[in-house]
Amino acid sequence: MATFTLRATTHTVRRTLRHCLPGLLTIAALPSVAHALPALADVQQLAVGESHACVLTTAGGVKCWGSNDYGQLGDGSLISRYLPVNVVGLSGGVSAISLGYRHSCALLADGSAKCWGKNLLSQLGDGTSTGRRTPVTVQGLSGATAISAGGDHTCALRGSSGLSCWGYNGDGQIGNGNTSTQPLPVSVPGGQDFVAISTGYSNTCAITTSATVKCWGVFDRVCNNFGCGFSGQLSPATIAGLSGVTQISSGQYFNCAVVAGGAVKCWGDNYYHQLGDLGTTNPNPLTLYDIVGLGSGVTMVSAGYKHACARLSDGSARCWGDNGSGKLGDGSNTDGLTPVVVAGLTNATSIGAGGSHSCARTTGGGVKCWGSNGSGQLGDNDPWFRLTPVGVPGLGNGVQSIAAGEFHSCAVTASGAVKCWGANSTGQIGNGGTLEQATAVNVSGLASGMSSVSAGAAHSCALSSGGAVKCWGRNDSGQLGDASFDQRLTPVQVSGLTSGITSVDAGDYHSCARTHSGAAKCWGQNSDSQLGDASLTDQSAPVSVANLASGVISIGAGGYHSCAVVAGGKIACWGSNNEAQIGDGTYDTAYIPVIPGYPDQGSTAISAGGTHSCAVVDGRVLCWGGNSDGQCGNGYSSGNITEPSLIGGLASVVTAISAGRYHSCAIGAGGQAFCWGNNGQGEIGDASTVDRPSPTAVAGLESGVTRISAGGFHSCALTSGGIVKCWGDNSSGQLGIGRRNGWLPGDVLEDRDSIFRSGFEISGI
């Protein structure tokens, strides 16, 4: 949202989005840069929007990056940019910039203004409601000295001539006494007394000549047991008790001000703790609240959508409120009930809080950003996903085993040590903490002697060379098997499995193992009898799978079902069957193992995915179960496959299979990697985000792959020589390439060679 001082303006989905908006989004990835890029420099002003950001350069030009679904970057396209791009026609002559929800504006040195981006509610001020991918002139505006872009409206201060606003007015945010949308600038009564302005999502505030504050529109929200109500103010009204104001910032249903001495006071909505530790409601939204720990020394405050940030006189920064995507910058995703220190930021000169990210201008004219990077709003050329395999550093050569979980990954090194990376909120990384790890870290106590590892939804298990099993992470269903339901941040011994185990597989919330005698044992969640013991009772220690006391060749734990290859090369599955993942032609829950009629022999490997299953039979791949994303590989992305079905496109030399959440992967002839199914985050690895209902070659892995693992929305492969490569979703650092979803401040980079380096194009809007 826009933040204004007395002088000028200042100011983050996976499969769900695609399935909620069928036919609307077409995503086409562009190549990433391979060479090192310099940090953005020569910045005189920073502005932060909901999911994009812009800077005003010392030469008077404007550069923007991030989300561009409405053309808010002003480069003439609808392509989101992971690096700053020049705004068309604004290479000089600009004196200030401001960003709104989905539009952007610039104040020119001659007192005119230009805006671009979303214009559905006439927020660009050109008299139309036509979206603009490049700047257009605000009609009828002259003599402007400051500009502020809000949710879907915009305002400009015209010095002693007053204040003009335009755009959406359904909440009275224009301030002219009515609720009619204004396609052209209109005067706000009393505007001659304003010296600074700030537009929020649905309100506007101004500092008066007497250093008090007036606001209008919806700037409060009252919530109770019956829900939330909003009250609007159609014309400027004084905020009682607020004086000596030097700077203001309007966010989404809340506002903040810096007063004389550098204290911060906020008012309005507190559902996300924007006002501090007051619970999640505010009985009196017009009451001013002092922000704890910010009683002095603050030079600037910025109110975002669900959080706020402040810059202190020593160059440090504090943020508070909602911390989804790490936008508070303290290296966590824990909400800040009181301001937390932005890690490593000591030279900030200004700060901006956006929707799901934050940025700061630094000494010397650089910019650092942190938080969500789904649309490239961090400007570091590092998208949430990788469309082709990238090497995982820090593992060395000779890796023995790999595992891709839902949002984390693990590997066993040549020395028998276990390392993990990615999401860690329940301790699934096993390093004793709960902070996300974007590079491989050692699992505590497993520095040697381990032979394989498996990753579930939020827990992990490892097998030692002596046949013992240890697990760690989430344990609310007993999936760690240590006879408790307590979360474990480091590995614990699975009860009774101290030796003689030949394989272990971690499913979503349960785990299964094969003993040296060919018996199957499972533990953890049992809501669908996925443990195969004919009950529906969770088990915190291993139980024997009914009728599988011997003869098991391989075993796999899936979402809410399990499968095994048994003596004679037959398939047996048990547990949930709501999408036909048991493969017996029915949808009936299997409380004990069920053996489908086909195949009757020849199976050598099996893998249970989210709601589907796959097996290698005589070197070919058969899949069955849920097929909404083409994960069964039959060429279609619909319906369920009720019985094992041979997939095409793979020669009869498949050596390994892995069924993930909504996709599958296999190793074919010569060690070539293939994947199919959901590809919204690039988990197929073919340099696209188009779902693939048939086996598709993974780019760069045409040979030499020895192991493969399909996770939640990413995949990993082990190549000859023991090198690990991963691709797909990286929102939690599960690719292990060193970024932590931007949770800590990082430099915004500048590509001086081309503006078409990376990003994704959203078309059809």
Side-chain angles (χ1 to χ4, degrees):
M1 306 304 288
T3 301
F4 279 71
T5 65
L6 294 176
R7 297 182 59 190
T9 63
T10 24
H11 204 359
T12 355
V13 195
R14 322 181 149 82
R15 178 176 182 267
T16 303
L17 175 63
R18 298 185 312 107
H19 284 271
C20 288
L21 302 175
L24 181 62
L25 305 183
T26 300
I27 305 177
L30 298 174
S32 297
V33 348
H35 63 281
L37 299 175
L40 188 65
D42 300 324
V43 173
Q44 64 167 309
Q45 187 201 339
L46 164 71
V48 179
E50 193 275 337
S51 57
H52 73 298
C54 297
V55 294
L56 174 61
T57 69
T58 54
V62 182
K63 294 185 176 185
C64 299
W65 64 92
S67 178
N68 199 27
D69 47 350
Y70 286 95
Q72 58 264 46
L73 301 189
D75 69 339
S77 79
L78 293 177
I79 302 173
S80 292
R81 304 295 187 181
Y82 289 90
L83 290 169
V85 294
N86 294 315
V87 177
V88 174
L90 295 183
S91 58
V94 177
S95 59
I97 56 175
S98 182
L99 308 189
Y101 180 64
R102 290 288 190 270
H103 73 294
S104 311
C105 292
L107 177 66
L108 275 60
D110 63 3
S112 64
K114 290 180 180 289
C115 297
W116 59 96
K118 184 179 179 181
N119 198 30
L120 184 64
L121 297 168
S122 299
Q123 54 265 57
L124 303 188
D126 67 342
T128 77
S129 58
T130 302
R132 307 293 185 180
R133 303 182 187 185
T134 56
V136 293
T137 300
V138 178
Q139 298 297 311
L141 182 69
S142 61
T145 57
I147 195 165
S148 181
D152 291 308
H153 72 295
T154 312
C155 292
L157 194 63
R158 296 180 287 115
S160 59
S161 299
L163 176 69
S164 294
C165 296
W166 58 93
Y168 182 62
N169 195 29
D171 297 309
Q173 54 265 63
I174 299 300
N176 66 337
N178 61 54
T179 58
S180 299
T181 293
Q182 302 295 326
L184 295 170
V186 295
S187 294
V188 178
Q192 295 83 356
D193 294 328
F194 299 152
V195 296
I197 54 171
S198 180
T199 53
Y201 184 76
S202 58
N203 75 296
T204 307
C205 289
I207 301 177
T208 69
T209 53
S210 59
T212 61
V213 171
K214 290 188 176 184
C215 295
W216 56 98
V218 171
F219 53 89
D220 61 345
R221 177 168 79 159
V222 179
C223 297
N224 52 40
N225 293 334
F226 301 99
C228 295
F230 301 85
S231 60
Q233 176 70 37
L234 301 184
S235 58
T238 299
I239 302 299
L242 194 58
S243 61
V245 177
T246 60
Q247 188 248 330
I248 56 172
S249 181
S250 298
Q252 180 177 346
Y253 310 130
F254 77 107
N255 303 275
C256 292
V258 180
V259 299
V264 176
K265 296 179 181 288
C266 298
W267 67 98
D269 178 44
N270 191 49
Y271 193 79
Y272 298 99
H273 306 289
Q274 305 96 308
L275 308 185
D277 189 9
L278 305 174
T280 56
T281 59
N282 180 9
N284 189 351
L286 293 180
T287 298
L288 299 176
Y289 289 92
D290 295 318
I291 301 302
V292 175
L294 297 181
S296 64
V298 174
T299 62
M300 179 182 180
V301 67
S302 178
Y305 282 74
K306 300 177 183 178
H307 76 297
C309 294
R311 185 261 181 189
L312 278 63
S313 57
D314 63 2
S316 64
R318 307 287 189 274
C319 295
W320 64 97
D322 179 76
N323 198 22
S325 301
K327 53 183 171 283
L328 300 190
D330 65 342
S332 79
N333 62 350
T334 303
D335 290 351
L337 306 187
T338 57
V340 297
V341 176
V342 178
L345 188 60
T346 59
N347 61 343
T349 59
S350 66
I351 199 160
S356 55
H357 75 298
S358 309
C359 294
R361 179 181 178 271
T362 61
T363 304
V367 175
K368 291 190 174 184
C369 297
W370 57 95
S372 174
N373 201 27
S375 298
Q377 56 264 56
L378 302 190
D380 63 350
N381 197 36
D382 196 357
W384 257 359
F385 46 84
R386 287 292 190 271
L387 303 182
T388 56
V390 289
V392 179
L395 297 177
N397 298 334
V399 172
Q400 305 178 54
S401 174
I402 56 168
E406 187 166 28
F407 297 112
H408 74 293
S409 309
C410 294
V412 179
T413 69
S415 64
V418 180
K419 294 189 175 187
C420 295
W421 57 94
N424 196 28
S425 60
T426 61
Q428 58 264 54
I429 299 304
N431 66 337
T434 56
L435 291 181
E436 183 179 275
Q437 301 294 327
T439 56
V441 298
N442 294 320
V443 175
S444 299
L446 300 184
S448 63
M450 310 310 292
S451 61
S452 68
V453 67
S454 182
H459 76 292
S460 310
C461 293
L463 177 67
S464 75
S465 56
V469 179
K470 292 188 176 183
C471 298
W472 58 96
R474 183 172 176 173
N475 197 30
D476 54 342
S477 297
Q479 56 263 54
L480 302 188
D482 67 337
S484 83
F485 293 92
D486 299 326
Q487 175 178 292
R488 306 293 188 180
L489 304 184
T490 57
V492 293
Q493 177 66 53
V494 177
S495 297
L497 301 189
T498 58
S499 64
I501 303 302
T502 59
S503 68
V504 63
D505 196 48
D508 271 14
Y509 306 105
H510 73 293
S511 310
C512 292
R514 175 192 182 272
T515 72
H516 74 285
S517 62
K521 292 182 177 293
C522 297
W523 58 96
Q525 188 182 76
N526 202 26
S527 58
D528 292 272
S529 202
Q530 54 263 55
L531 304 187
D533 65 345
S535 81
L536 297 173
T537 304
D538 292 354
Q539 301 291 341
S540 62
V543 296
S544 296
V545 178
N547 301 327
L548 292 184
S550 64
V552 174
I553 298 172
S554 68
I555 194 166
Y560 297 90
H561 75 294
S562 308
C563 291
V565 174
V566 299
K570 295 182 179 181
I571 291 170
C573 295
W574 57 96
S576 175
N577 199 25
N578 62 321
E579 294 192 35
Q581 55 264 53
I582 301 302
D584 64 347
T586 76
Y587 290 91
D588 301 328
T589 297
Y591 297 95
I592 61 174
V594 170
I595 299 178
Y598 178 80
D600 56 0
Q601 60 182 356
S603 301
T604 57
I606 197 161
S607 182
T611 58
H612 73 294
S613 311
C614 291
V616 177
V617 182
D618 294 327
R620 300 173 299 170
V621 175
L622 279 69
C623 294
W624 60 97
N627 194 41
S628 58
D629 294 87
Q631 59 265 49
C632 286
N634 67 342
Y636 300 95
S637 297
S638 62
N640 300 319
I641 310 300
T642 60
E643 296 179 335
S645 176
L646 182 67
I647 70 172
L650 289 175
S652 57
V653 287
V654 174
T655 59
I657 185 70
S658 179
R661 175 71 64 193
Y662 301 107
H663 74 294
S664 309
C665 294
I667 302 175
Q672 183 172 12
F674 295 87
C675 294
W676 58 94
N678 180 46
N679 196 28
Q681 301 295 317
E683 51 264 61
I684 300 305
D686 68 337
S688 82
T689 53
V690 178
D691 287 357
R692 302 298 186 184
S694 299
T696 302
V698 178
L701 295 181
E702 290 80 12
S703 63
V705 176
T706 60
R707 292 175 182 258
I708 199 161
S709 182
F713 300 90
H714 74 295
S715 311
C716 292
L718 182 61
T719 68
S720 56
I723 303 299
V724 177
K725 293 191 175 184
C726 297
W727 59 96
D729 180 32
N730 194 35
S731 58
S732 296
Q734 58 264 54
L735 300 189
I737 56 178
R739 78 176 286 275
R740 301 183 57 217
N741 195 22
W743 285 12
L744 297 175
D747 289 328
V748 172
L749 303 178
E750 182 172 16
D751 186 349
R752 303 180 188 275
D753 301 323
S754 168
I755 65 173
F756 296 103
R757 286 293 188 179
S758 65
F760 56 85
E761 180 173 6
I762 302 178
S763 59
I765 297 179

